[in-house]
Amino acid sequence: LSTTKIERPRDWSGLQKAFAEKGNIAGVVVEQVKGGFRVDVGVRAFMPASRSGVRDAAEMEALVGQEIECRITKLDTEHEDVVVDRRVILEERDAQKRQQAFQELREGATLRGTVRNVMDFGAFIDLGGIDGLLHVSDMCYSRVDKASDVVKPGDELEVKILKVDPATKKISVGLKQLQEDPWTIAARTFHVGDRVSGTVSRLTDFGAFIELLPGVDGLIHISELSWDKRVRKPGDLLKIGERVETVVLQMHAEERRISLG
């Protein structure tokens, strides 16, 4: 039995027709030879290893004895020289699958994917034959210096489709968008006058930023650091990573701002 529903040419006229029309034909990989494979397509044909669609030695060995689809790239009837290509068919089918998968993507949809590659600026997620970019800014609500701090190749993730660009075929996905916005949590958790503790996350000339929740920083202005000490710079009193107790002076969650003292 054969699962390849393609008639195998049995004479030169059939091969010539397939070559002229760039049609697919069926063949059986007979043996592995130097530089490629010997393929029976009704006559003896050669398939270069680079056009076989396989790469490592184990895959090449497993290809022997298989019935394959291929396309004739060279046909010399006088010298009975036939060269076939399997890789071009596999690449065309992969391209069709990617195009179909791309057309089925919808912004706002949730998909499972596998981390294929990690760069400093983000990670490429395999969404089933097509890649989506998970930018480092869309991984967590908290500050992330590099993508490898959050994900690694092989990780399976559930991501949200943020943007699909038909012109460039680029897909942007997000991880943090599947979590509740921490500023929504902050709005119902913190109120003016509350005593709250946090960690010094950043120091500037005008004040210190305190992380109250992952992704939620409040600002202690330099004027709110001390009653009795003249503070030239926040670093005179605080250091990054230090745990401090503060009071909520102003709360503007919709503007993503909290003033602390």
Side-chain angles (χ1 to χ4, degrees):
L1 301 177
S2 170
T3 56
T4 306
K5 299 179 180 179
I6 297 178
E7 183 178 352
R8 183 181 301 168
R10 296 184 179 180
D11 53 28
W12 287 107
S13 62
L15 292 173
Q16 288 171 329
K17 183 174 184 293
F19 179 57
E21 297 176 355
K22 296 183 179 180
N24 297 348
I25 63 173
V28 175
V29 181
V30 178
E31 61 177 333
Q32 187 173 356
V33 296
K34 183 179 180 180
F37 299 88
R38 192 70 64 199
V39 182
D40 177 10
V41 293
V43 298
R44 187 174 62 176
F46 175 69
M47 179 171 66
S50 62
R51 306 308 304 174
S52 66
V54 296
R55 295 181 179 179
D56 58 46
E59 288 181 325
M60 289 185 178
E61 187 177 334
L63 195 59
V64 176
Q66 288 190 33
E67 186 169 49
I68 63 170
E69 282 186 67
C70 53
R71 191 172 296 165
I72 301 172
T73 57
K74 180 181 179 182
L75 181 64
D76 186 340
T77 57
E78 183 179 349
H79 297 93
E80 296 190 0
D81 185 11
V82 183
V83 179
V84 296
D85 187 336
R86 174 176 179 252
R87 178 176 161 184
V88 64
I89 297 174
L90 299 179
E91 289 176 343
E92 287 175 355
R93 288 182 177 169
D94 285 344
Q96 290 172 357
K97 288 179 180 178
R98 287 194 298 270
Q99 179 62 24
Q100 182 178 355
F102 185 85
Q103 291 175 345
E104 292 174 352
L105 290 177
R106 296 291 180 270
E107 292 182 5
T110 301
L111 294 176
R112 286 199 69 82
T114 304
V115 178
R116 186 178 62 79
N117 193 20
V118 179
M119 312 291 285
D120 285 344
F121 60 83
F124 290 97
I125 313 297
D126 182 356
L127 302 173
I130 51 177
D131 282 353
L133 174 61
L134 174 60
H135 194 269
V136 67
S137 62
D138 290 310
M139 289 184 173
C140 299
Y141 282 107
S142 56
R143 184 181 177 87
V144 178
D145 291 326
K146 53 185 179 180
S148 57
D149 292 337
V150 181
V151 297
K152 63 182 184 300
D155 284 353
E156 289 193 5
L157 304 174
E158 190 170 10
V159 294
K160 186 174 183 178
I161 306 296
L162 303 180
K163 185 177 180 181
V164 178
D165 189 334
T168 62
K169 295 291 192 294
K170 290 183 179 178
I171 304 161
S172 299
V173 300
L175 190 60
K176 73 180 185 182
Q177 286 78 6
L178 295 177
Q179 305 165 4
E180 185 177 14
D181 189 331
W183 281 95
T184 302
I185 300 174
R188 64 172 182 263
T189 303
F190 305 129
H191 306 89
V192 173
D194 287 352
R195 284 178 175 265
V196 295
S197 61
T199 304
V200 179
S201 60
R202 189 157 50 99
L203 297 174
T204 67
D205 291 340
F206 57 83
F209 286 92
I210 312 299
E211 185 181 61
L212 304 177
L213 293 172
V216 176
D217 282 5
L219 172 65
I220 306 178
H221 191 268
I222 192 169
S223 62
E224 302 293 348
L225 284 171
S226 176
W227 288 109
D228 54 2
K229 292 181 182 179
R230 183 177 181 181
V231 182
R232 296 182 180 275
K233 58 181 185 294
D236 293 338
L237 288 181
L238 302 172
K239 61 180 182 293
I240 292 177
E242 181 180 358
R243 191 80 179 171
V244 295
E245 187 176 14
T246 66
V247 172
V248 178
L249 302 180
Q250 295 183 47
M251 184 73 192
H252 302 286
E254 66 283 355
E255 299 174 12
R256 298 178 178 263
R257 289 192 300 109
I258 300 176
S259 298
L260 304 172

